[in-house]
């Protein structure tokens, strides 16, 4: 190769090296779409909107919420993996979106390889509840009733949800069987319990206002520690080494520019520290838990590894 050609090649490579950070520095130049896999008005939607308002201040462009509900948020994951990895299409990633890839093999995606983790922002908190007029005053009462009468019915927001999977493991440990009655959403599962269609419920903390106003009684929580503001024991305190898998994070298509990921993760970190987000988390029973992109990716891997054996038991047979 002639010397002049070598110099031209070196110049081009140098220019490419300089351009990459420049592109990241100019990001974003127009609004960012934040896809939420649940309908408007629920805790996931409302708290993502709260985050989006503050993130917009830090990145200098609006975050526009795009609701794509369905299949336990799997539809939103299937959508986001097909978008360009330019940072203008990101998604709220919840537990269902991760677990459903094992429960429903036809989805044909793998969160751990088809997405770019950006940040974990919070964890859902699951509780086991009965109506205020239930004869079960404590978790021990429910256990005793379960042993006297197998098949007590309970509601959740769907098959394969963290609350369903943890409840099935709990029933196995207790040595009984419960009848699972799945619904399409948390509010529907709550309504079923309020009507008396089921005897108890295992559900993420959309039930908080019902416990606070005395209509429901919280018997236990499926969290690592007791829920702030509530006196119910954890399953661990009750002798069962179980904690429900729980994820509420932000991710984008695979192969996103690292500098863009860093910019977004830092903006979400600041947004999780605001009183507005903390108030939203308290309203919907979320636990604020920020983790950066690397830690979030490791958390996804660990959750999938831990729960895969039970997930495969409930997987759709094709």
């Amino acid at each position: 190769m002639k010397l002049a050609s070598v110099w031209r090649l070196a110049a081009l490579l140098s220019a490419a090296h300089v351009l990459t950070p420049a592109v990241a520095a100019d990001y974003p130049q127009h609004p960012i779409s934040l896809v939420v896999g649940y309908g408007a008005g629920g805790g996931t939607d409302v708290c993502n909107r709260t985050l989006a308002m503050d993130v917009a201040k830090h990145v200098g462009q609006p975050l526009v919420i795009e609701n794509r509900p369905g299949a336990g948020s799997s539809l939103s994951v299937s959508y986001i993996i097909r978008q360009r990895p330019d940072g203008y299409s990101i998604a709220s990633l919840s537990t269902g979106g991760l677990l459903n890839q094992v429960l429903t093999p036809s989805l044909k995606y793998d969160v751990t390889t088809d997405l770019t983790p950006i940040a974990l922002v919070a964890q859902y908190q699951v509780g086991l509840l009965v109506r205020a007029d239930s004869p079960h005053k404590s978790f021990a009462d429910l256990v005793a009733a379960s042993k006297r009468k197998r098949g007590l019915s309970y509601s959740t927001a769907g098959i394969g949800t963290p609350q369903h999977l943890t409840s099935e493991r709990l029933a196995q440990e207790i040595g009984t069987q419960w009848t699972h009655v799945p619904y399409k959403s948390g509010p529907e599962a709550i309504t079923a319990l309020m009507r008396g269609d089921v005897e108890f419920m295992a559900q993420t903390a959309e039930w908080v206002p019902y416990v606070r106003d005395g209509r429901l009684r919280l018997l236990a929580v499926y969290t690592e520690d007791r829920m702030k503001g509530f006196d119910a024991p954890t399953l661990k305190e009750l002798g069962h080494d179980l904690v429900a898998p729980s994820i509420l994070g932000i991710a984008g298509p695979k192969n996103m520019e690292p500098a863009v990921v860093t910019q977004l993760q830092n903006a979400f970190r600041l947004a999780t520290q605001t009183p507005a987000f903390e108030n939203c988390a308290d309203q919907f029973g979320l636990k604020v838990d920020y983790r950066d992109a690397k830690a979030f990716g490791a958390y996804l891997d660990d959750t999938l590894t831990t729960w895969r054996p039970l997930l495969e038991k409930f997987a759709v047979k094709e």
Side-chain angles (χ1 to χ4, degrees):
M1 183 181 292
K2 293 182 180 179
L3 183 60
S5 298
V6 172
W7 280 110
R8 280 197 296 271
L9 178 59
L12 287 171
L13 291 173
S14 178
H17 177 74
V18 171
L19 281 173
T20 300
V23 170
D26 290 340
Y27 169 84
Q29 296 182 330
H30 57 78
I32 300 166
S33 174
L34 174 55
V35 178
V36 175
Y38 295 94
T44 301
D45 173 71
V46 173
C47 289
N48 269 291
R49 290 178 187 274
T50 303
L51 284 172
M53 291 179 64
D54 195 72
V55 169
K57 299 175 185 177
H58 299 296
V59 301
Q61 288 287 348
L63 269 69
V64 180
I65 301 296
E66 182 179 350
N67 295 97
R68 288 181 173 267
S73 78
S74 295
L75 293 184
S76 64
V77 176
S78 297
Y79 170 79
I80 204 68
I81 65 175
R82 301 193 304 269
Q83 305 310 301
R84 295 178 60 187
D86 54 10
Y88 290 100
S89 293
I90 59 177
S92 175
L93 178 62
S94 60
T95 320
L98 174 67
L99 303 185
N100 282 346
Q101 69 186 58
V102 182
L103 288 166
T104 311
S106 61
L107 290 172
K108 304 301 182 186
Y109 68 68
D110 184 343
V111 164
T112 62
T113 57
D114 294 332
L115 292 178
T116 299
I118 294 173
L120 180 72
V121 295
Q123 293 190 33
Y124 295 99
Q125 300 186 99
V126 175
L128 188 151
L129 303 96
V130 295
R131 291 191 346 177
D133 60 358
S134 168
H136 312 310
K137 306 298 183 184
S138 67
F139 180 76
D141 289 344
L142 182 65
V143 171
S146 299
K147 291 184 176 180
R148 289 194 304 269
K149 176 189 174 184
R150 295 170 70 87
L152 293 184
S153 61
Y154 73 100
S155 61
T156 74
I159 296 172
T161 56
Q163 51 269 33
H164 169 222
L165 297 174
T166 307
S167 296
E168 290 300 311
R169 287 180 59 174
L170 179 59
Q172 290 173 3
E173 288 200 4
I174 292 171
T176 190
Q177 289 182 342
W178 290 328
T179 300
H180 179 222
V181 184
Y183 289 85
K184 293 181 180 180
S185 69
E188 289 181 82
I190 293 170
T191 299
L193 178 61
M194 295 293 294
R195 284 197 306 250
D197 295 343
V198 294
E199 291 160 283
F200 66 100
M201 175 180 71
Q203 185 53 38
T204 53
E206 291 161 302
W207 41 258
V208 164
Y210 296 85
V211 174
R212 286 176 174 165
D213 68 16
R215 284 180 287 174
L216 296 180
R217 180 184 302 123
L218 180 62
L219 300 185
V221 291
Y222 292 10
T223 50
E224 188 72 39
D225 303 302
R226 290 195 177 198
M227 280 183 62
K228 181 181 177 182
F230 297 91
D231 196 36
T234 66
L235 292 180
K236 285 190 172 184
E237 290 179 75
L238 295 167
H240 304 281
D241 190 17
L242 294 173
V243 175
S246 184
I247 295 164
L248 181 57
I250 305 295
K254 66 179 179 181
N255 299 326
M256 285 179 61
E257 172 66 43
V260 170
V261 173
T262 298
Q263 186 175 349
L264 286 170
Q265 77 174 13
N266 291 341
F268 276 98
R269 174 179 58 81
L270 294 171
T272 62
Q273 298 171 355
T274 61
F277 183 66
E278 291 175 353
N279 289 338
C280 190
D282 179 67
Q283 177 185 352
F284 289 100
L286 295 171
K287 178 183 178 182
V288 180
D289 184 9
Y290 171 81
R291 305 188 195 190
D292 66 16
K294 182 178 180 181
F296 183 30
Y299 187 62
L300 292 172
D301 288 337
D302 182 66
T303 300
L304 198 57
T305 298
T306 300
W307 287 89
R308 184 181 289 277
L310 187 60
L311 289 167
E312 290 175 343
K313 176 181 176 181
F314 293 101
V316 175
K317 304 301 181 184
E318 298 182 328

